Amino acid sequence: MKILVIAEHDNHTINAATENVITAGLSLGDGVDVLVAGHQCRAVAEKLSILKGVNQVLMADHQVYQHHLPENCAKLIAQQASEYDAVLGAANTFGKNLLPRVAALLDVEQVSDVIEIQSETIYKRPIYAGNIIQTVENKERIKVLTIRTTAFAGQQVEQDPVQILDLDTVIDNTQSRFVGLEQTQSTRPDLTAAKVVVSGGRGFQNSENFTLIEKLADALGAAIGATRAAVDAGFVANDYQIGQTGKIVAPELYIAIGISGAIQHLAGMKDSKYIVAINKDPDAPIFQIADVGIVGDLFEILPALEEALKKQNLIT
Amino acid sequence: MIILVPVKRVIDPYVRVRVKNDQIDKTNLNMTMNPFDEIAVEEAIRMKEKNPAVEIILVSVGDGDCQETLRHGLALGADRAIHVATENELLPLAIAKILQVMSEKNNVDLVLMGKQAIDGDHNQTGQMLAALLDWPQGTFASQVDLDKAEVRVTREVDGGLETLALKLPAVLTTDLRLNEPRYAALTHIMKAKNKPLESIPLEALGVEATDKQKILKVELPPVRQGGKMVSSVDELVECLAQAQVLPL
Ligand SMILES: Cc1cc2nc3c(=O)[nH]c(=O)nc-3n(C[C@H](O)[C@H](O)[C@H](O)COP(=O)(O)OP(=O)(O)OC[C@H]3O[C@@H](n4cnc5c(N)ncnc54)[C@H](O)[C@@H]3O)c2cc1C
Ligand SMILES: Nc1ncnc2c1ncn2[C@@H]1O[C@H](COP(=O)(O)O)[C@@H](O)[C@H]1O
């Protein structure tokens, strides 16, 4: 199979999700080609060209692709895709925005959120907030898949650089215009790639209290996550939301604090390796899936936990 | 201005679905309008409240029960509704092709729809519809400002909030923070009974669904073995140390 992976980047650095997608691609074929569309993005193409498993990098470097708007990027990808058997992207807001548009241009149905590739045509994906796993057979002419990155390893070995092929196709876009990006500033690790996630819910009551979570997160080198309820209430920004309709995480350690454990939240974190739950309600459903739970008031437990971890020299 | 709002009838998000005889067991489950579509309906109504010249058309594809969901949308404030009747569970591209026909037939200026149906969790249909119509798309919208020829959309993306300006006609898909949907008032529920609701058989639209994708199996995910409780922070720390999940 000939596989095309759509790279995600900000014209300077590659989003780590792209590496997980390459790994998924390598379970479909012997190597993958990677497409980089952007502006002044050669550094990205060069980085990709030394990732093992990459056969060739296709680079469309032009101002019209600077903000990765789907109106023209999807057309560019669809043009290239006719040479391939499969087109893969990450099942995050970048891939979800772009790939269905590509699939429609190719007149094929897409498969979203692939968590397992059994063969060239058979994959598994979660539906109903992860309460059901579906096995899908996909015999479309070109397979368009979005990959759930937590289900595929991201570690990449390096190789000698492969060819970077310049695509000179310039597709104009007069339909949409980039106005701005309000980026959430954070010095913490990226939520979807973090080894430890400390996550808070409505139990924190207000945004001022929610900052209590930061001390523990920083001591653990963790990313901070949240429930929909916490985001809706304005405790944190929208991109902290974990769940069925937010981000999917699977860290080594997930600490859920003041979170009840609704199915929509579990959908985004239940594949974490080790789950800790702190909740004052002994019947909170989060306890049923937590490796270890403690019943109590988070405002007492949180400082005590920090103290105890410090005393044992388990955190900095 | 004509706004099309596609709405899907789904199992209540707070119900736990089960598998019976290798099928998803849908018997006696509470059904509702897909929550993201409720947000789309609400946004359309707010636009109509600002500009009475707006007409809101609902479309739902599915079996006869969808008409109940459409009536609910009419009670909320939509003007008329179209039911595209089929017993088959269609995939996103087929739905998008139906919506393309509906958009063209009804001279639609704006499609407002959910980013995701919470049953299939595809998150595809809006993007596909935009491609088929060759219209711009504003997905995962948390704020929408409508001008004469342009719509400004703030999108919930992984890195924060992105703002785009799109030329009309356009397709927008809603995220959770766009608005808080209202409840239907009793008087409106009564009035909705007289609003136009037509039903068209899928066959009449000339849209063909793919036979290239098949569901081979549905199953429950592996159960997570949790449930261990500790009664002190010290015990908790001991568990963490033993599990070797701390970064140090
Ligand atoms: C369409 C749709 C999509 C959704 N998508 C998502 C999603 O992606 N992600 C998501 O998270 N949710 C999502 N939800 C919402 C989900 O159903 C729940 O409402 C939400 O996860 C609840 O958040 P919570 O646990 O913070 O709040 P609650 O359910 O209110 O729980 C708060 C918990 O805090 C505990 N608590 C309170 N005070 C204290 C204290 N002092 N000490 C210790 N514990 C305390 C309480 O016992 C309670 O268990 C979605 C819902 C819908 C309908
Ligand atoms: N059967 C349907 N009838 C009407 N609208 C639908 C249907 N299926 C999907 N949609 C619309 O497409 C959106 C995205 O669905 P999906 O791509 O399936 O996650 C939904 O929120 C609806 O607005």
Side-chain angles (χ1 to χ4, degrees):
Chain A
M1 270 188 129
K2 274 196 83 183
I3 322 290
L4 183 64
V5 167
I6 311 305
E8 179 179 0
H9 61 92
D10 61 0
N11 295 315
H12 307 287
T13 42
I14 312 165
N15 186 319
T18 307
E19 296 177 11
N20 307 78
V21 180
I22 292 173
T23 305
L26 292 174
S27 58
L28 281 170
D30 291 334
V32 302
D33 286 4
V34 183
L35 188 146
V36 181
H39 184 42
Q40 297 174 342
C41 54
R42 181 161 292 274
V44 175
E46 281 170 358
K47 286 234 182 68
L48 286 162
S49 75
I50 58 166
L51 285 185
K52 194 163 182 203
V54 175
N55 287 339
Q56 179 176 241
V57 179
L58 312 180
M59 182 176 71
D61 186 342
H62 194 278
Q63 219 174 334
V64 294
Y65 305 123
Q66 182 175 4
H67 298 292
H68 316 112
L69 296 173
E71 287 74 17
N72 56 351
C73 285
K75 287 178 186 164
L76 174 77
I77 296 165
Q79 273 182 14
Q80 296 301 319
S82 51
E83 306 283 315
Y84 291 87
D85 302 302
V87 180
L88 272 58
N92 53 21
T93 56
F94 171 77
K96 286 176 179 173
N97 187 43
L98 189 55
L99 283 231
R101 192 160 178 131
V102 173
L105 293 176
L106 297 171
D107 195 28
V108 298
E109 293 283 358
Q110 174 185 303
V111 183
S112 295
D113 268 302
V114 172
I115 55 167
E116 191 182 315
I117 295 176
Q118 294 186 340
S119 72
E120 288 184 356
T121 53
I122 300 178
Y123 338 110
K124 285 192 177 184
R125 63 177 298 262
I127 54 173
Y128 287 98
N131 279 319
I132 307 271
I133 307 295
Q134 200 179 48
T135 305
V136 184
E137 184 182 38
N138 178 21
K139 291 189 168 164
E140 292 282 10
R141 182 172 48 91
I142 300 174
K143 277 83 183 151
V144 181
L145 314 179
T146 62
I147 301 298
R148 182 167 282 197
T149 54
T150 52
F152 295 87
Q155 233 60 305
Q156 290 292 331
V157 185
E158 296 200 346
Q159 64 181 5
D160 289 336
V162 294
Q163 186 194 206
I164 298 173
L165 186 74
D166 282 288
L167 303 177
D168 43 23
T169 328
V170 176
I171 304 175
D172 274 323
N173 170 19
T174 54
Q175 298 181 315
S176 66
R177 186 164 47 84
F178 175 83
V179 177
L181 176 65
E182 201 183 298
Q183 250 173 314
T184 309
Q185 298 299 333
S186 170
T187 50
R188 298 193 185 88
D190 173 42
L191 187 51
T192 51
K195 292 229 166 0
V196 181
V197 173
V198 185
S199 195
R202 203 190 326 247
F204 278 87
Q205 293 164 0
N206 57 49
S207 48
E208 198 190 320
N209 288 344
F210 201 90
T211 58
L212 286 174
I213 217 171
E214 289 174 6
K215 256 175 84 193
L216 181 65
D218 290 340
L220 289 167
I224 295 178
T227 63
R228 174 193 174 178
V231 177
D232 283 0
F235 300 176
V236 281
N238 62 283
D239 53 327
Y240 286 68
Q241 182 181 313
I242 291 169
Q244 178 190 19
T245 59
K247 285 181 179 164
I248 309 289
V249 303
E252 297 285 307
L253 172 62
Y254 188 93
I255 307 181
I257 310 167
I259 291 175
S260 62
I263 52 175
Q264 289 86 2
H265 186 73
L266 303 187
M269 47 65 74
K270 71 176 176 190
D271 291 327
S272 303
K273 202 165 151 221
Y274 196 84
I275 299 173
V276 175
I278 302 170
N279 196 305
K280 70 173 182 191
D281 172 10
D283 296 324
I286 189 79
F287 287 129
Q288 289 163 23
I289 64 135
D291 294 279
V292 54
I294 180 165
V295 176
D297 186 343
L298 72 90
F299 298 108
E300 288 163 19
I301 293 177
L302 211 46
L305 176 60
E306 255 177 64
E307 186 82 358
L309 286 168
K310 229 180 251 166
K311 228 168 47 205
Q312 308 247 355
N313 289 320
L314 292 167
I315 55 173
T316 45
Chain B
M1 172 161 202
I2 300 175
I3 304 178
L4 187 77
V5 186
V7 295
K8 187 174 188 187
R9 185 175 174 82
V10 298
I11 296 173
D12 184 313
Y14 300 106
V15 166
R16 191 174 279 266
V17 283
R18 315 221 168 259
V19 173
K20 197 172 152 189
N21 305 329
D22 297 323
Q23 297 278 330
I24 293 165
D25 183 9
K26 293 184 183 168
T27 41
N28 296 325
L29 291 183
N30 206 19
M31 303 294 286
T32 155
M33 184 186 288
N34 180 39
F36 287 98
D37 304 350
E38 267 184 329
I39 295 171
V41 173
E42 174 67 32
E43 197 64 17
I45 297 168
R46 290 185 190 187
M47 288 175 181
K48 191 181 167 76
E49 283 167 348
K50 278 196 202 135
N51 172 9
V54 163
E55 184 190 8
I56 305 171
I57 308 173
L58 305 177
V59 184
S60 190
V61 184
D63 64 20
D65 292 342
C66 290
Q67 295 192 13
E68 191 194 326
T69 306
L70 290 169
R71 284 280 173 223
H72 171 63
L74 292 171
L76 288 168
D79 296 294
R80 61 188 179 93
I82 305 165
H83 168 219
V84 176
T86 173
E87 294 297 320
N88 297 330
E89 181 74 38
L90 300 179
L91 288 168
L93 184 61
I95 301 283
K97 286 180 178 177
I98 295 168
L99 299 176
Q100 178 190 14
V101 175
M102 289 296 150
S103 305
E104 287 168 349
K105 262 214 316 229
N106 293 289
N107 296 315
V108 167
D109 303 288
L110 182 69
V111 182
L112 261 169
M113 55 199 286
K115 77 164 180 181
Q116 169 175 354
I118 55 148
D119 48 4
D121 283 336
H122 295 292
N123 195 330
Q124 298 175 13
T125 310
Q127 298 86 313
M128 288 181 154
L129 175 62
L132 298 176
L133 291 164
D134 197 20
W135 289 1
Q137 70 188 48
T139 54
F140 328 144
S142 66
Q143 199 186 325
V144 173
D145 294 301
L146 201 55
D147 208 340
K148 284 228 156 48
E150 214 181 62
V151 57
R152 249 177 210 242
V153 195
T154 303
R155 309 179 50 236
E156 293 202 0
V157 294
D158 288 339
L161 294 168
E162 182 190 62
T163 305
L164 302 177
L166 313 177
K167 278 197 189 147
L168 289 174
V171 177
L172 304 181
T173 76
T174 61
D175 216 317
L176 295 168
R177 258 71 61 180
L178 182 57
N179 60 48
E180 239 179 87
R182 71 192 67 189
Y183 294 96
L186 196 59
T187 50
H188 293 174
I189 296 173
M190 300 308 289
K191 261 197 253 165
K193 295 202 168 116
N194 299 319
K195 288 187 179 176
L197 190 165
E198 74 180 299
S199 184
I200 316 174
L202 172 64
E203 295 71 33
L205 297 180
V207 170
E208 282 200 34
T210 180
D211 53 0
K212 300 267 167 42
Q213 270 193 25
K214 257 202 326 238
I215 296 161
L216 300 182
K217 194 159 111 189
V218 288
E219 64 195 317
L220 295 177
V223 209
R224 223 192 136 96
Q225 287 304 332
K228 179 186 156 98
M229 301 298 290
V230 294
S231 49
S232 74
V233 166
D234 287 337
E235 281 175 79
L236 176 60
V237 170
E238 208 170 291
C239 289
L240 287 172
Q242 254 172 26
Q244 295 185 312
V245 286
L246 291 167
L248 279 193

